[in-house]
Amino acid sequence: MNKNDLVGKIAQEADVTKVLATKCVDSLVGVIKDALAKGDGVQLVGFGTFQPVKRAARKGRNPQTGKAIKIKAKTVAKFKPGKTLKDSVQ
């Protein structure tokens, strides 16, 4: 399912226009991105938790040359599914 499919399904389920459903999806994604950028997590009970996680700097290897390289530290987004979501998928 891609974004257009998701928007269509939300519009149908909520009995709203696709334009409004698109705004809602974009707004949700934007709010989650803003929260993660600030270092805050977003918890949706029953669905899951989005959390920023810091990765330490480490050494890696270039697969083409085999030469050792340095990989910089960075913050990445992590998603942990909630119990309800896990149970519905299994």
Side-chain angles (χ1 to χ4, degrees):
M1 178 179 279
N2 61 27
K3 182 179 174 184
N4 287 334
D5 296 337
L6 179 64
V7 166
K9 189 71 171 170
I10 290 172
Q12 181 183 9
E13 294 277 330
D15 195 26
V16 296
T17 65
K18 285 188 178 183
V19 173
L20 181 58
T22 301
K23 286 181 184 179
C24 291
V25 170
D26 290 341
S27 177
L28 175 67
V29 171
V31 168
I32 292 172
K33 283 174 26 178
D34 290 344
L36 292 173
K38 291 179 186 175
D40 298 332
V42 177
Q43 182 179 6
L44 303 172
V45 177
F47 182 72
T49 303
F50 296 91
Q51 193 72 30
V53 177
K54 294 183 181 182
R55 287 193 181 163
R58 63 190 194 278
K59 292 181 182 178
R61 188 163 304 279
N62 183 333
Q64 291 180 341
T65 63
K67 186 176 180 180
I69 58 173
K70 293 179 183 177
I71 301 172
K72 296 180 182 180
K74 64 181 177 179
T75 303
V76 297
K78 181 179 177 182
F79 176 74
K80 181 178 178 187
K83 183 178 182 337
T84 306
L85 180 60
K86 283 183 196 176
D87 292 345
S88 69
V89 172
Q90 291 182 357

